[in-house]
Amino acid sequence: MPDSCFADRFGALTPLGPDERAALLRLEERERRVRRNGVLLSENDRLGEMFILKHGMMMSYVLLDDGSRQILRFLFPGDLLATAALAYAHSPETIMALTDSVVCPFDRGAMADLFTAHPRLALAIMAAEQMERVAMTDRLAAIGRTSAKARVSALLLELRNRLRTNDPGIGDSFVPGITQEEMGDATGLTAVHVNRMLRQLEQDGLIARNGGRFTMLDEAGLARTAHHVDRRAGLDLGWLPDPR
Amino acid sequence: MPDSCFADRFGALTPLGPDERAALLRLEERERRVRRNGVLLSENDRLGEMFILKHGMMMSYVLLDDGSRQILRFLFPGDLLATAALAYAHSPETIMALTDSVVCPFDRGAMADLFTAHPRLALAIMAAEQMERVAMTDRLAAIGRTSAKARVSALLLELRNRLRTNDPGIGDSFVPGITQEEMGDATGLTAVHVNRMLRQLEQDGLIARNGGRFTMLDEAGLARTAHHVDRRAGLDLGWLPDPR
DNA sequence: CGCGTAATTGATATCAATCAAGATGAGTGG
DNA sequence: CCACTCATCTTGATTGATATCAATTACGCG
């Protein structure tokens, strides 16, 4: 059976029937490559298709009129991109590749077909959307109400966790794959201050760094500094109807 | 025909068939009152039902361990509450009434039934979810990357626009219905600083205040200070299949 | 080797938080 | 009707966290 990031994503949440798996696979029939630093979609581009990220790491961001940038989310395989196409004619955000990536474009009509043929998958997609929303509220609270050190810690934890989801081999040690500038744009800080915070986290004995590689020396301590809440523990999709 | 906030909300986005309207109405069969300052749902409460807000104004927020609060969103009639129930066993946020309110509780199973019987409504709900998500990214960018004055301006514009959606009689003049403390908790500022920013907006001739009532004297100027983007203009649900 | 990007470090500036009093105003009970 | 109380709003003085500015250093790569 051909692999599908998207089917795997949902398979981890709820058992999938063979028809369901096949329907998800059909969304990944086409492929498009995006090179590192390549832009898949710019703010205000006309929308019509959505994408499943198949390989690589991307990010979405908005630019403010003074040139500053707010990174909204980092994107990993299995993530759905450009879902704003469901409600808007033009993209509210830019989507750019952080590494060489592969995405699978599909028309929003395909989503309509999927919802019609497989209501249970529609519910699962809606549930995944809720997970995304809760992650966003966590980020909102972090940026609005926590210190620079907490925000940087939270970002490191989030990156490690998401990287690990796609590569279970990752333990305490990982390569974030983003610059300090990008960490700043994700956390609402300057690159200079991110640097100082990383340095402080090192001094506190929470992390170590070695040529781009980060190691969490005290994950519990880091989670405490970050005011981190582990949302995966509270997942519950048991209420979904049985697969057909 | 009995009125339904929820059906009205979607009716404004896309034409509804009679079956569809009836199905939405069924979600509002039960009612629960929540008094001002009453808590509908606390952080970590067990989830199972969701709610449609029928009358009143509510808010959702999280408390951090140092006691500070981040308000995530203000809720108005037609909004769907506690959608996290689709993915989580416990609430990630507290939902509290800002005015005496009425909500319609329904089991998440009812949502599953709706998705099964009316895939087109499922798509519309998904689209509404995208509107919510985009609003959240706008807030994230505001808090992460804009000045205190811009954030307060953006909040005023958002409140006025949402109030006007439910009461088209509202023009430049409105009563926000929240305290400066709450404005601070929504924008990531202190109440004291919100006060100074309001005062400055007054001095700039952008707003006037009179016993709790705000008047926008220069809406274009306010939108400029806020870096405001009008998202309603870009809505597009024309791609949805025709109602049955 | 040389070049460009990213990381680091120090000095200074600014915005917003904190601390501390009042002022205002809407209930509430006597 | 008045005194009282509590929440909210307002204002000033000060502190503190983070931004800004300005070099310098380290590093990956052609």
Side-chain angles (χ1 to χ4, degrees):
Chain A
M1 165 158 27
D3 69 313
S4 152
C5 309
F6 204 50
D8 291 348
R9 156 83 49 112
F10 289 107
L13 294 176
T14 182
L16 295 179
D19 282 5
E20 291 176 335
R21 178 168 287 273
L24 291 176
L25 262 168
R26 269 196 297 283
L27 295 179
E28 294 182 54
E29 275 172 352
R30 288 185 294 150
E31 287 194 357
R32 187 191 306 175
R33 251 153 240 291
V34 190
R35 248 170 300 123
R36 181 168 135 78
N37 293 325
V39 170
L40 174 62
L41 205 60
S42 280
E43 224 170 311
N44 295 319
D45 277 0
R46 173 159 281 283
L47 288 171
E49 338 180 88
M50 305 195 297
F51 308 87
I52 292 163
L53 178 50
K54 192 160 191 177
H55 296 299
M57 178 177 174
M58 305 181 81
M59 65 174 172
S60 80
Y61 62 84
V62 293
L63 290 177
L64 304 204
D65 36 15
D66 67 348
S68 64
R69 174 176 69 171
Q70 176 67 47
I71 293 177
L72 302 169
R73 48 191 298 230
F74 294 104
L75 302 160
F76 294 88
D79 279 344
L80 210 45
L81 318 188
T83 52
L86 295 174
Y88 293 98
H90 300 276
S91 179
E93 67 197 15
T94 300
I95 302 178
M96 175 181 276
L98 288 162
T99 67
D100 289 349
S101 301
V102 179
V103 298
C104 302
F106 62 91
D107 194 83
R108 51 191 175 188
M111 183 63 87
D113 296 343
L114 183 73
F115 267 52
T116 307
H118 297 283
R120 192 170 163 277
L121 288 181
L123 288 163
I125 290 172
M126 191 73 184
E129 200 61 26
Q130 295 311 316
M131 295 166 59
E132 186 51 48
R133 173 219 277 281
V134 170
M136 187 112 78
T137 65
D138 286 343
R139 259 171 270 153
L140 198 67
I143 294 182
R145 285 299 188 213
T146 75
S147 70
K149 204 201 263 192
R151 294 187 227 171
V152 172
S153 308
L155 177 63
L156 292 179
L157 282 163
E158 190 193 337
L159 284 175
R160 199 282 308 260
N161 290 342
R162 297 222 57 192
L163 285 167
R164 186 155 64 178
T165 302
N166 289 103
D167 175 1
I170 289 177
D172 291 338
S173 175
F174 68 106
V175 178
I178 61 174
T179 65
Q180 294 179 6
E181 183 82 36
E182 286 155 351
M183 292 183 193
D185 287 344
T187 52
L189 301 168
T190 57
V192 172
H193 205 58
V194 166
N195 184 281
R196 292 193 225 273
M197 292 304 104
L198 288 174
R199 198 136 268 298
Q200 239 180 284
L201 291 174
E202 252 180 330
Q203 280 200 333
D204 297 348
L206 297 176
I207 64 170
R209 287 180 302 159
N210 218 313
R213 171 165 294 273
F214 284 58
T215 304
M216 295 184 176
L217 298 177
D218 176 3
E219 187 170 338
L222 200 60
R224 236 175 297 118
T225 346
H227 310 296
H228 182 71
V229 180
D230 181 11
R231 298 292 181 191
R232 282 164 311 167
L235 276 177
D236 171 23
L237 277 81
W239 62 278
L240 283 177
D242 286 333
R244 275 183 306 177
Chain B
M1 163 162 23
D3 69 314
S4 151
C5 310
F6 204 51
D8 291 349
R9 155 84 49 111
F10 289 107
L13 294 176
T14 181
L16 295 178
D19 282 5
E20 290 176 335
R21 178 169 287 275
L24 291 177
L25 263 168
R26 268 197 298 282
L27 295 179
E28 293 182 55
E29 275 171 355
R30 288 185 292 151
E31 286 193 359
R32 187 190 306 176
R33 252 153 238 292
V34 190
R35 249 171 300 124
R36 180 168 135 79
N37 295 325
V39 169
L40 174 62
L41 205 61
S42 281
E43 224 170 310
N44 294 320
D45 276 359
R46 173 159 282 281
L47 287 171
E49 335 179 272
M50 306 195 294
F51 309 87
I52 292 163
L53 179 50
K54 191 160 192 177
H55 296 300
M57 178 175 172
M58 307 182 80
M59 65 174 172
S60 80
Y61 63 83
V62 293
L63 291 178
L64 304 203
D65 35 16
D66 66 349
S68 65
R69 174 175 70 170
Q70 175 68 46
I71 294 177
L72 301 169
R73 47 193 297 231
F74 294 104
L75 302 161
F76 294 88
D79 278 345
L80 209 47
L81 319 187
T83 51
L86 295 174
Y88 294 97
H90 300 276
S91 178
E93 67 198 14
T94 299
I95 302 178
M96 175 182 276
L98 288 162
T99 67
D100 290 348
S101 303
V102 179
V103 299
C104 302
F106 61 91
D107 193 83
R108 53 190 174 188
M111 184 62 88
D113 295 343
L114 183 73
F115 267 52
T116 307
H118 297 284
R120 193 170 161 278
L121 289 180
L123 289 163
I125 290 173
M126 192 72 184
E129 197 62 26
Q130 295 312 315
M131 294 166 60
E132 185 52 49
R133 173 219 277 282
V134 170
M136 186 112 76
T137 64
D138 286 343
R139 260 171 269 152
L140 198 67
I143 295 182
R145 285 299 189 214
T146 75
S147 70
K149 203 200 266 192
R151 293 186 226 172
V152 172
S153 309
L155 178 63
L156 292 180
L157 281 164
E158 191 192 337
L159 284 174
R160 199 282 309 262
N161 290 342
R162 297 223 57 193
L163 285 167
R164 186 154 64 178
T165 302
N166 289 103
D167 175 2
I170 289 178
D172 292 338
S173 176
F174 69 106
V175 179
I178 60 173
T179 65
Q180 294 179 6
E181 183 82 36
E182 286 154 352
M183 292 184 193
D185 287 344
T187 52
L189 301 168
T190 58
V192 172
H193 205 58
V194 166
N195 184 281
R196 291 193 226 273
M197 293 304 102
L198 288 174
R199 195 137 271 296
Q200 241 181 280
L201 291 174
E202 252 180 330
Q203 281 201 332
D204 297 350
L206 297 176
I207 65 171
R209 287 181 301 159
N210 218 313
R213 172 165 294 273
F214 284 58
T215 304
M216 295 184 177
L217 299 176
D218 176 3
E219 186 170 338
L222 200 61
R224 237 175 295 119
T225 343
H227 309 297
H228 182 71
V229 180
D230 180 11
R231 298 291 181 190
R232 281 165 311 166
L235 276 178
D236 170 24
L237 277 80
W239 62 278
L240 283 178
D242 286 332
R244 275 181 308 176

